[in-house]
Amino acid sequence: PVILLNAHIGCSEMVGYSLSQKKPCSVLVYGGEKKELMDYRRKQFADMGIKMIPVGVDGVDIKEIVDCLDRGEALRWFADRFMNPKKVVHSTIHGFKVKLSKAPFSLAVNRGIDVYLLSAMKQSDGSYVGRVTYLDYDKTLPHREQRQQLADLYTAEIEKVLKDYPLQWFNYFDIWEDE
């Protein structure tokens, strides 16, 4: 299994459309979208071997997430969104404190799973360039330190992408820590 993290930078769905799926993949998606959009995405993703796991409306079916990993599948997750403000991990982006979802980092650490950050950035000619970055965390550290290291690697990569594509960050969710 592998966890493929996303952030709301560039066009994350382009990553799904562009990646060649060598193994089944599930992606956590916001389940509160209009039915027509959900049906369209479900059809498009199904043609590519990607299964949607809706979240954010009736809660997350953690069993579905765990089953996906138990089958050795890839799991795509946006770590720059969280459902429960009590279940966050803290890091920084450009010197500002942020809150991230604790769940994907904890799940990776507890299971010793490899983690990558995926992004697809639009170029001036209308094409997209994909980035796949391995988040090489130290799996010998205590779990809490591994989780923090992963969160810090994630935000460091976000900073690198933002340096090259500062106008492609579409995060309208309040991740910022109150000072």
Side-chain angles (χ1 to χ4, degrees), residues 7 9 11 15 27 29 35 48 53 57-58 65 67 72 76 82-83 94 96 101 103-105 117 150 154 156 169-170:
I9 302 172
C11 183
V15 174
V27 59
V29 299
K35 182 183 180 322
M48 296 177 291
I53 300 175
V57 178
D58 298 323
I65 293 168
D67 287 350
R76 285 190 48 212
F82 55 88
M83 305 305 288
H94 294 308
F96 294 94
S101 175
F105 303 111
L117 175 63
L150 259 177
Y154 174 79
W169 192 14
F170 303 99

Side-chain angles (χ1 to χ4, degrees), residues 95-134:
F96 294 94
K97 294 179 183 178
V98 295
K99 300 172 282 192
L100 305 169
S101 175
K102 187 178 189 179
F105 303 111
S106 292
L107 191 58
V109 165
N110 291 341
R111 291 174 161 257
I113 296 174
D114 287 339
V115 180
Y116 295 81
L117 175 63
L118 306 179
S119 59
M121 312 311 295
K122 191 169 186 175
Q123 304 299 294
S124 59
D125 67 358
S127 66
Y128 285 86
V129 63
R131 289 188 179 197
V132 179
T133 305
Y134 177 60

Side-chain angles (χ1 to χ4, degrees), residues 65-85:
I65 293 168
V66 170
D67 287 350
C68 158
L69 295 172
D70 285 346
R71 290 189 301 268
E73 298 176 6
L75 177 65
R76 285 190 48 212
W77 197 318
F78 284 90
D80 62 347
R81 295 289 193 275
F82 55 88
M83 305 305 288
N84 184 339

Side-chain angles (χ1 to χ4, degrees), residues 5 46 60 79 82 94 127 129-130 134 136 147 157 159:
L5 296 180
V60 178
F82 55 88
H94 294 308
S127 66
V129 63
Y134 177 60
D136 190 15
R147 184 174 54 240
E157 285 303 316
E159 288 178 341

